[in-house]
Amino acid sequence: MDSVPSGRSRPPGSPARVLVVDDDPTVAEVVAGYLDRAGYTVDRAADGPQALTAAATARPDLVVLDLMLPGMDGLEVCAKLRATRPVPVIMLTARGDEDDRILGLELGADDYVTKPFSPRELVLRVESVLRRSRAAAPGGGELRGAGLTLDPEARRAAKHGAELALTLREFDLLAHFLRHPGRVFGREELMREVWGWEFGDLSTVTVHVRRLRGKVEDDPARPRLITTVWGVGYRFDASGAAAAPGDGGGEAPAAHDPGAPPARGDAP
């Protein structure tokens, strides 16, 4: 996979730079206009190669990226952007494209907005993601558990001394688990307490948990740190002990049916 040069960063104190990537000129113009009026510096690209060139020329603080691009699609662009640095990405998806949306989140996108969407809502999402990318997690002090070390102020995490490449939402999720070892959280709780969402697609939580497991577990297929409690939610086990019978690793029944047999996937 080709890498993308890092590009020059913006001077301290200057407006955040947002790269809008969409082949529909009307959508791109509307989004860019709203972001510009909100005080952001906005660059535009109509396809994947233009987006990679723009990111290499002037490093964006966030990318608004359409999935359905001609030629190089948004998934490939996202993967190439994130191959060099953890730039926040908000994906624009067509309503009903669940598989693409889930794949985009697994590739490291931090949020998604479905079309048609409110430009004002998108601006709020941009503000929220940028705010999280800049802010240290609350509660000060280094967090440790099960060989994991997390520095909220530096926004850095490591496993046995090796740095982990976490997205913004993965970092916040891991910080939450480390602060509450042994406690079970439902997906609705995680959406509300970790990311401040009062409503949304619960599969978003499932994807981030699965992706985080892939980075912190020795064997993501048999998780020992982030276990699934069937019909309830997820629990972080700082001891890293093997999952007990009925405690679940990567599989669990739906939350609304605690007595159901295990289903494929890792959603509680």
Side-chain angles (χ1 to χ4, degrees):
M1 178 181 294
D2 296 333
S3 61
V4 183
S6 60
R8 67 176 188 274
S9 58
R10 62 187 176 90
S14 61
R17 182 179 294 274
V18 179
L19 174 59
V20 177
V21 187
D22 198 307
D23 63 316
D24 185 328
T26 301
V27 172
E29 183 175 355
V30 170
V31 170
Y34 270 81
L35 289 170
D36 180 71
R37 287 191 290 276
Y40 297 103
T41 298
V42 183
D43 297 320
R44 288 170 52 178
D47 57 33
Q50 286 185 26
L52 298 179
T53 298
T57 302
R59 177 184 299 174
D61 296 292
L62 181 143
V63 179
V64 176
L65 176 62
D66 183 29
L67 272 176
M68 302 301 292
L69 295 173
M72 183 189 302
D73 66 17
L75 296 176
E76 186 175 357
V77 175
C78 180
K80 290 192 173 186
L81 286 170
R82 293 195 58 82
T84 57
R85 56 182 293 265
V87 57
V89 174
I90 296 178
M91 284 198 164
L92 304 180
T93 71
R95 190 177 301 276
D97 287 347
E98 183 176 3
D99 291 342
D100 281 344
R101 174 175 55 77
I102 295 298
L103 182 55
L105 289 169
E106 290 186 331
L107 285 173
D110 297 282
D111 205 349
Y112 68 92
V113 176
T114 56
K115 294 181 177 180
F117 58 87
S118 162
R120 291 186 179 88
E121 177 192 353
L122 178 58
V123 171
L124 291 175
R125 296 290 187 99
V126 168
E127 292 173 351
S128 175
V129 172
L130 284 174
R131 185 167 57 249
R132 287 191 173 275
S133 72
R134 295 166 178 161
E142 198 170 74
L143 301 172
R144 294 178 178 271
L148 300 169
T149 304
L150 186 145
D151 184 341
E153 292 188 2
R155 303 288 293 187
R156 300 182 71 174
K159 177 182 178 182
H160 300 306
E163 188 163 356
L164 297 172
L166 302 180
T167 67
L168 301 177
R169 298 205 185 282
E170 291 164 4
F171 185 95
D172 291 339
L173 182 59
L174 180 58
H176 190 74
F177 280 138
L178 284 170
R179 289 191 179 95
H180 305 283
R183 178 179 166 185
V184 180
F185 292 94
R187 289 185 292 174
E188 295 90 345
E189 286 183 283
L190 291 173
M191 289 187 70
R192 181 177 62 254
E193 297 184 17
V194 180
W195 302 310
W197 295 355
E198 291 298 332
F199 59 90
D201 189 341
L202 295 180
S203 64
T204 300
V205 178
T206 306
V207 169
H208 287 303
V209 168
R210 180 167 63 239
R211 187 167 170 82
L212 181 59
R213 280 172 169 164
K215 297 178 180 181
V216 304
E217 299 281 0
D218 292 332
D219 181 1
R222 297 181 59 83
R224 292 170 174 255
L225 302 179
I226 304 172
T227 56
T228 301
V229 180
W230 290 355
V232 183
Y234 300 106
R235 179 178 63 212
F236 181 77
D237 185 354
S239 69
D247 205 18
E251 300 183 351
H256 64 275
D257 187 7
R264 293 294 299 171
D266 60 354

